[in-house]
């Protein structure tokens, strides 16, 4: 996060800075997640400027993080609030998923797959699926 005051002004907090002057230093992971979740940089800038800032979760290496929440967007930064870690939208908040009518065969295939998953005797591997939202 870089606050760029206008000439002759001494700004110290995000609320005093124009939205477009708040710089987000992106990470590869953060960019990927924003693309997947249809979150714009301006949404992160707004979260910093107008949102609620709370301590985030510790990273695996023990470093602290910050979480900003605003208008259904949660934005996680490093301990300095300068580098993006990740972001997500609250479920159903600003992310419209187009409804799709599926064919009967698709539904039957889905039901069959669910039944297979529920029957642990049919499991043949030790695969773990992690879903990052």
């Amino acid at each position: 996060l870089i606050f760029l005051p206008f000439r002759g002004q001494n700004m110290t907090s995000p609320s005093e800075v124009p939205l477009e002057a708040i710089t987000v230093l992106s990470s590869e992971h953060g960019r990927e997640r924003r693309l997947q979740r249809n979150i714009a940089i301006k949404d992160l800038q707004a979260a910093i400027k107008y949102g609620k800032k709370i301590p985030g979760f510790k990273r695996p290496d023990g470093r602290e993080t910050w979480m900003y929440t605003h208008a259904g967007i949660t934005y996680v930064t490093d301990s300095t609030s300068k580098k993006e870690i990740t972001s997500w939208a609250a479920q159903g908040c600003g992310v419209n998923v187009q409804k799709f009518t599926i064919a009967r065969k698709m539904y039957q295939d889905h039901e069959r797959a669910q039944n297979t998953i529920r029957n642990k005797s049919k499991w043949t591997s030790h695969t773990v699926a992690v879903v990052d939202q």
Side-chain angles (χ1 to χ4, degrees):
L1 218 41
I2 302 172
F3 302 121
L4 303 172
F6 292 113
R7 190 174 305 149
Q9 292 181 326
N10 184 15
M11 296 184 205
T12 58
S13 75
S15 62
E16 299 173 356
V17 179
L19 190 63
E20 60 276 359
I22 297 174
T23 301
V24 173
L25 302 176
S26 295
S27 66
E28 184 176 344
H29 175 84
R31 281 189 302 274
E32 288 174 3
R33 295 301 173 260
R34 279 190 285 109
L35 181 63
Q36 291 170 342
R37 298 164 181 165
N38 197 25
I39 298 173
I41 285 285
K42 66 181 175 70
D43 296 325
L44 304 185
Q45 292 168 315
I48 292 166
K49 182 173 174 103
Y50 305 112
K52 179 180 177 183
K53 179 181 179 182
I54 61 171
F57 300 102
K58 283 191 178 183
R59 299 184 79 178
D61 61 7
R63 290 181 293 168
E64 304 286 336
T65 63
W66 286 105
M67 291 175 62
Y68 293 85
T69 55
H70 174 70
I73 301 290
T74 300
Y75 171 44
V76 182
T77 70
D78 67 353
S79 61
T80 66
S81 290
K82 292 183 179 179
K83 188 171 181 186
E84 169 188 32
I85 295 174
T86 194
S87 58
W88 62 87
Q91 187 173 9
C93 183
V95 179
N96 296 323
V97 178
Q98 183 178 2
K99 290 185 178 181
F100 182 81
T101 303
I102 63 172
R104 184 168 196 73
K105 182 177 180 340
M106 292 170 72
Y107 179 77
Q108 291 168 341
D109 290 346
H110 176 72
E111 287 293 313
R112 194 174 308 111
Q114 282 187 318
N115 289 333
T116 300
I117 290 170
R118 288 185 192 113
N119 183 352
K120 293 183 181 181
S121 68
K122 293 188 177 186
W123 292 12
T124 59
S125 69
H126 298 283
T127 303
V128 176
V130 177
V131 178
D132 178 17
Q133 289 191 348

